[in-house]
Amino acid sequence: MDIIKENKNICIDCKSRLELLQEAMNLSITENALLSRPRRVITFGIPVRMDNGEVSVFNAYRVQYNNALGPTKGGIRYHPDVDLEEVKTLAFLMALKCSLAGLPFGGAKGGVEVDPTKLSKGELERLTRGYVREIHQLIGPNIDVPAPDVNTNAEVMAWFVDEYSKIKGEFLPGVVTGKPIILGGSEGREEATALGGAFVLKRYMEKIRGSKKNNKKPITVAIQGFGNVGGNLGKILDDWGHKIVAASDADGGIYKSTGLDIKSVCNTKDSRCKLHEMKNVKRISNEELLQLPVDVLIPAALSKQITVKNADKIKAKTIIEMANAPISEEADKILADKKITVIPDVLANSGGVIVSYFEWVQNSDNHYWSKDKVNEMLKEKIEKAFDNVFELSQKTKDSIRISAYSLAIRRILNAEKLRGTIG
Ligand code: GLU
C-alpha cells in the first residue's frame, strides 16, 4: 500500500500515458510505480560568464528515466520553455523509443532553460562546457549518452565531447552522439530522423494501400517546422515524388495547392531551407497549416501543437509525429474519434536515436561505416519496429500509439524482471 500512497517524484504526464495502457497491458501496482517516475533526476544551475563580463546562472536538467535495457540515451535541448516536468516526459518517451527500436539503451533527456538566439557563440560554448562540468560524473559512454535535440547540434556536441574528454584525460567520443564526422560522428546521422520518418511513412502507405499501382500515387503533405527534421523530410518526400503543399517555420507558413518548389529554397549552402524566399505562394499561419485538408500532416516543431483547441479542426487523414509529443492527450482522443491515424513519435522519429546507436557502436569499435551502410541498416531497423507495431495494432485493434507503447514497455519490464528488480 505504501507504493500507492507515495506519489512524490511521479511524472504526472507519464502516469496518465501509462493509464491509457491499463486495458491493453494490465500493469501491476509495482510495475506502474516503477514506470511512473524517473530513476534519477538531476537539476542544477550553470553559471556562465557572459560577453559583458557579468555572470548569468541558467536552470538545467538531466532526467535518466529508465536504464533496464542499457545506458540511458537522449538529447539535450536549449529552449526558454524547458521545465522539469516536460524533461521527465521526454525522457520517458526516449525510454520507450529506444526499447521499441530494439536498441540496448534506456531513456533520458536533458535541457537548459535558455533562449539560444540571445546568446553569442562564445556564450553558448561556455554554457555547454558548464553543463558538462556539472554532470560529468553522472554521464559516460556506458552510463548516459546525450545527443542533439531542439536547438542543439553537432557543434554543441563537439564542445561537449571536448570538455568531457579534457575532464577525464582521454578522448571518449562515445559520451555523446550527433557529433561532427571528424570527431567520431556517423555518416547519415544529420538526416537520420527525417529519413527514418520517410521510411515509416512509406511502409505505412504500402500497408494501407496494398496494391502496387496505388503505391506510386503521390500524397499531399503539410509540414510544421522546417528545421533539421522537417526540412530534410520535406526534401526526401519531394525527391520521392510527393507533393509538399505547405511548410512553416518560426516566421510563419507558405502554401501552394499544386505543391511547393522545395528545391528552390532548400539547396542553399548552409543546408537550411529559406521558406520566406519562395515566390508565388500564399502566406499562412502555423495554425492554418495544421488545419489544411492534406493526406499527411507532419508536426516537426515543438510539443503540444495539436490540443483540445484545434484538434477537431484537423482535416488530414494521417499525422506523423516527427516532433516529440506534438499532440496532447485530450487531442489524441479527439483525433481517434475522427478516425485520423496518428503514427506516434516513439516510432516515427526514432531514426535519430537509431543512427545515434550506430554512432556509439562505431565509436567503441573505432571503425567507421559508409553512408549507404548506415542508411540501409536504419531502414532495416525502423521497418522492423514499424511492422511489429502495425501487426499488433491490426490484431488488437488498438491504436498505433497504444501498440507501440505496449511493445516498448513489455521489453523494458522483461529486462527489469531478468535483472531481478521486479517479479
Ligand atoms: N533528440 C533525439 C530524439 O528525441 C535524438 C536522441 C538521441 O539520438 O539520443 O530522439
Side-chain angles (χ1 to χ4, degrees), residues 73-75 94 97 109 145-149 177 189 324 349 352-353 356:
K73 184 87 192 81
M94 278 312 301
K97 201 183 293 184
K109 197 70 149 206
V145 186
D149 199 77
T177 56
R189 175 63 185 82
N324 286 312
N349 73 21
V353 74
S356 275

Side-chain angles (χ1 to χ4, degrees), residues 120-194:
S120 69
K121 199 158 169 174
E123 288 167 340
L124 269 180
E125 179 177 342
R126 292 194 290 281
L127 175 72
T128 305
R129 290 183 186 278
Y131 192 103
V132 183
R133 282 197 299 276
E134 297 303 328
I135 61 158
H136 69 90
Q137 280 146 326
L138 301 167
I139 57 168
N142 291 317
I143 305 170
D144 177 23
V145 186
D149 199 77
V150 175
N151 294 331
T152 50
N153 54 20
E155 186 176 39
V156 172
M157 295 304 115
W159 297 325
F160 206 106
V161 86
D162 180 70
E163 190 66 22
Y164 184 78
S165 298
K166 279 183 176 136
I167 294 168
K168 301 291 170 186
E170 57 180 320
F171 184 50
L172 290 164
V175 67
V176 283
T177 56
K179 299 176 291 290
I181 290 183
I182 197 168
L183 290 177
S186 176
E187 291 286 351
R189 175 63 185 82
E190 192 80 15
E191 317 85 41
T193 312

Side-chain angles (χ1 to χ4, degrees), residues 140-269:
N142 291 317
I143 305 170
D144 177 23
V145 186
D149 199 77
V150 175
N151 294 331
T152 50
N153 54 20
E155 186 176 39
V156 172
M157 295 304 115
W159 297 325
F160 206 106
V161 86
D162 180 70
E163 190 66 22
Y164 184 78
S165 298
K166 279 183 176 136
I167 294 168
K168 301 291 170 186
E170 57 180 320
F171 184 50
L172 290 164
V175 67
V176 283
T177 56
K179 299 176 291 290
I181 290 183
I182 197 168
L183 290 177
S186 176
E187 291 286 351
R189 175 63 185 82
E190 192 80 15
E191 317 85 41
T193 312
L195 186 60
F199 287 144
V200 165
L201 175 58
K202 184 162 180 280
R203 198 73 169 173
Y204 173 69
M205 285 303 179
E206 282 166 9
K207 299 266 183 206
I208 59 160
R209 282 178 164 177
S211 91
K212 282 243 163 60
K213 199 167 144 244
N214 244 344
N215 273 343
K216 297 254 156 23
K217 216 175 126 213
I219 47 174
T220 55
V221 182
I223 303 181
Q224 184 204 32
F226 227 65
N228 176 36
V229 176
N232 276 316
L233 184 52
K235 282 192 255 181
I236 296 167
L237 295 179
D238 182 63
D239 278 349
W240 288 2
H242 297 300
K243 224 190 273 177
I244 316 297
V245 293
S248 69
D249 56 23
D251 301 327
I254 53 176
Y255 171 72
K256 192 171 182 184
S257 61
T258 51
L260 300 170
D261 181 7
I262 297 294
K263 288 189 183 68
S264 74
V265 289
C266 284
N267 286 338
T268 53
K269 259 205 211 110

Side-chain angles (χ1 to χ4, degrees), residues 178-371:
K179 299 176 291 290
I181 290 183
I182 197 168
L183 290 177
S186 176
E187 291 286 351
R189 175 63 185 82
E190 192 80 15
E191 317 85 41
T193 312
L195 186 60
F199 287 144
V200 165
L201 175 58
K202 184 162 180 280
R203 198 73 169 173
Y204 173 69
M205 285 303 179
E206 282 166 9
K207 299 266 183 206
I208 59 160
R209 282 178 164 177
S211 91
K212 282 243 163 60
K213 199 167 144 244
N214 244 344
N215 273 343
K216 297 254 156 23
K217 216 175 126 213
I219 47 174
T220 55
V221 182
I223 303 181
Q224 184 204 32
F226 227 65
N228 176 36
V229 176
N232 276 316
L233 184 52
K235 282 192 255 181
I236 296 167
L237 295 179
D238 182 63
D239 278 349
W240 288 2
H242 297 300
K243 224 190 273 177
I244 316 297
V245 293
S248 69
D249 56 23
D251 301 327
I254 53 176
Y255 171 72
K256 192 171 182 184
S257 61
T258 51
L260 300 170
D261 181 7
I262 297 294
K263 288 189 183 68
S264 74
V265 289
C266 284
N267 286 338
T268 53
K269 259 205 211 110
D270 60 3
S271 85
R272 287 269 159 213
C273 303
K274 301 197 166 63
L275 293 183
H276 61 274
E277 286 178 6
M278 203 179 289
K279 310 253 158 42
N280 304 321
V281 292
K282 188 176 163 207
R283 307 274 146 193
I284 56 169
S285 67
N286 256 300
E287 202 46 53
E288 285 168 315
L289 178 140
L290 295 174
Q291 297 172 22
L292 288 171
V294 285
D295 292 320
V296 178
L297 171 64
I298 305 183
L302 287 168
S303 58
K304 296 209 180 85
Q305 298 301 301
I306 302 175
T307 63
V308 272
K309 291 204 188 104
N310 56 6
D312 63 337
K313 299 192 199 107
I314 306 287
K315 295 176 204 74
K317 294 190 196 80
T318 303
I319 303 179
I320 314 273
E321 289 189 319
M322 291 307 289
N324 286 312
I327 302 177
S328 76
E329 209 185 301
E330 299 84 356
D332 211 30
K333 289 190 192 114
I334 300 172
L335 298 173
D337 288 343
K338 286 167 65 89
K339 305 264 178 290
I340 295 173
T341 303
V342 176
I343 313 235
D345 47 9
V346 292
L347 179 60
N349 73 21
S350 63
V353 74
I354 290 174
V355 176
S356 275
Y357 163 60
F358 298 157
E359 180 173 334
W360 181 79
V361 170
Q362 293 171 78
N363 292 154
S364 68
D365 271 6
N366 266 314
H367 175 75
Y368 289 85
W369 313 345
S370 70
K371 194 171 193 164

